[in-house]
Amino acid sequence: MANSLKCFNAIPQNLRNISTSSAKNDAWLSKIFVRKIEPTKESHSRMLSDKEVIYALQTHNYRADSKKNYLNNVNNIVGWVSSQDSLNKNVQLVGSWTVNVGDQDQAIHLWKFVGGFQQIDKFNELTDTNGDYQKLRQEEGKLIRARHLQYLLAFSYWPQIVLRQPKNVYEIRSYALKPGTMIEWGNNWARAINFRKNNDEAFAGFFSQIGRLYNVHHIWCYENLNKRKETRESAWRSPGWDECVAYTVPLIREMHCRVMVPTEFSPTQ
């Protein structure tokens, strides 16, 4: 024992500090290794979502000088959809926003299709042959620079979407995941979402089915930007939140966030 102590004391102090620091780093690094999951014959969409509801996320980059005309056009499209009895109210606008922080001159619209892809097929058949709708789409084409459409499923562990009043600010955090990691993402976030329920900030959580694949979108709702700051700081003080973050970070290839404000005609404010 005495010889062991002599050997330890013979180690220079700076090397002892490195050893201690390395041990601490190893403890942290051990958290961020990707957890292994068992192979499965079930698709991740079936395992992570239990609703026969498809969401369409439209992203439009409108011309900087055409915002007002563009929003009027979208409002007219929303009115046309709501007037179609043949859709049986199974196609609904959930939220419509313009981006304040992030991609400028951009709007995001979230549509809900009750009845899955069968309802989307029905919607496409109707709009492809309707002259009024086609005129609205042609007008839209003159007002935008680019557009993208994704079909999404809602994560089953997220709270149900509840429309908000009065006016709030929203944040959409979008993640491009490594292929094959969606189930693991869901396993970790099924726990992580529990740390973000106290302030009723969780608005919606989706993963892509068609469009850019292995994409995840989390939409959060806050009273204002300062409330966002306070709520996120509160989550980091919750034991276990840091571990959830550590396990999900290695699954991400790319991520970005945008702060959005609702349009006047958005059902959720």
Side-chain angles (χ1 to χ4, degrees), residues 78-91:
V78 173
W80 181 90
V81 172
S82 62
S83 70
Q84 301 303 302
D85 294 334
S86 61
L87 297 178
N88 296 319
K89 307 301 181 184
N90 288 331
V91 181

Side-chain angles (χ1 to χ4, degrees), residues 174-178 181 185 245 248-255:
S174 300
Y175 305 86
L177 303 186
K178 297 175 182 177
T181 61
W185 177 275
V245 172
T248 54
V249 165
L251 310 179
I252 301 170
R253 291 187 302 160
E254 182 182 350
M255 61 181 290

Side-chain angles (χ1 to χ4, degrees), residues 136-186:
L136 289 170
R137 288 285 286 177
Q138 288 172 10
E139 180 184 344
E140 176 187 271
K142 299 174 184 178
L143 302 171
I144 62 177
R145 298 176 288 109
R147 54 191 170 194
H148 181 258
L149 172 65
Q150 276 184 312
Y151 288 129
L152 314 171
L153 288 177
F155 283 114
S156 58
Y157 52 80
W158 270 68
Q160 272 194 321
I161 295 176
V162 177
L163 303 184
R164 309 298 177 88
Q165 300 290 340
K167 203 160 189 174
N168 298 280
V169 297
Y170 292 77
E171 178 182 14
I172 180 168
R173 298 178 71 87
S174 300
Y175 305 86
L177 303 186
K178 297 175 182 177
T181 61
M182 187 65 72
I183 294 176
E184 186 170 359
W185 177 275

Side-chain angles (χ1 to χ4, degrees), residues 52-84:
E52 284 298 319
V53 177
I54 304 294
Y55 291 87
L57 187 69
Q58 294 179 323
T59 303
H60 292 170
N61 295 329
Y62 52 82
R63 286 170 34 195
D65 61 350
S66 303
K67 180 178 181 179
K68 182 177 179 180
N69 290 338
Y70 165 77
L71 292 177
N72 285 338
N73 174 264
V74 176
N75 193 17
N76 290 335
I77 290 176
V78 173
W80 181 90
V81 172
S82 62
S83 70
Q84 301 303 302

Side-chain angles (χ1 to χ4, degrees), residues 177-231:
L177 303 186
K178 297 175 182 177
T181 61
M182 187 65 72
I183 294 176
E184 186 170 359
W185 177 275
N187 287 343
N188 280 286
W189 264 98
R191 295 185 301 114
I193 194 65
N194 293 316
F195 296 103
R196 303 293 298 273
K197 288 182 177 179
N198 292 339
N199 296 307
D200 198 28
E201 62 189 300
F203 180 74
F206 305 105
F207 60 98
S208 59
Q209 281 282 282
I210 300 178
R212 296 188 184 103
L213 298 179
Y214 284 97
N215 275 195
V216 168
H217 302 285
H218 293 170
I219 303 178
W220 307 93
C221 179
Y222 305 100
E223 182 180 339
N224 51 49
L225 289 180
N226 193 56
K227 284 291 184 181
R228 172 189 178 274
K229 171 181 173 290
E230 293 174 354
T231 300

Side-chain angles (χ1 to χ4, degrees), residues 51-56 86-94 111-123:
K51 301 179 179 67
E52 284 298 319
V53 177
I54 304 294
Y55 291 87
S86 61
L87 297 178
N88 296 319
K89 307 301 181 184
N90 288 331
V91 181
Q92 302 170 357
L93 181 69
V94 175
W111 292 84
K112 178 181 180 181
F113 291 83
V114 179
F117 284 109
Q118 183 176 2
Q119 184 63 55
I120 291 176
D121 288 337
K122 183 178 179 180
F123 176 80

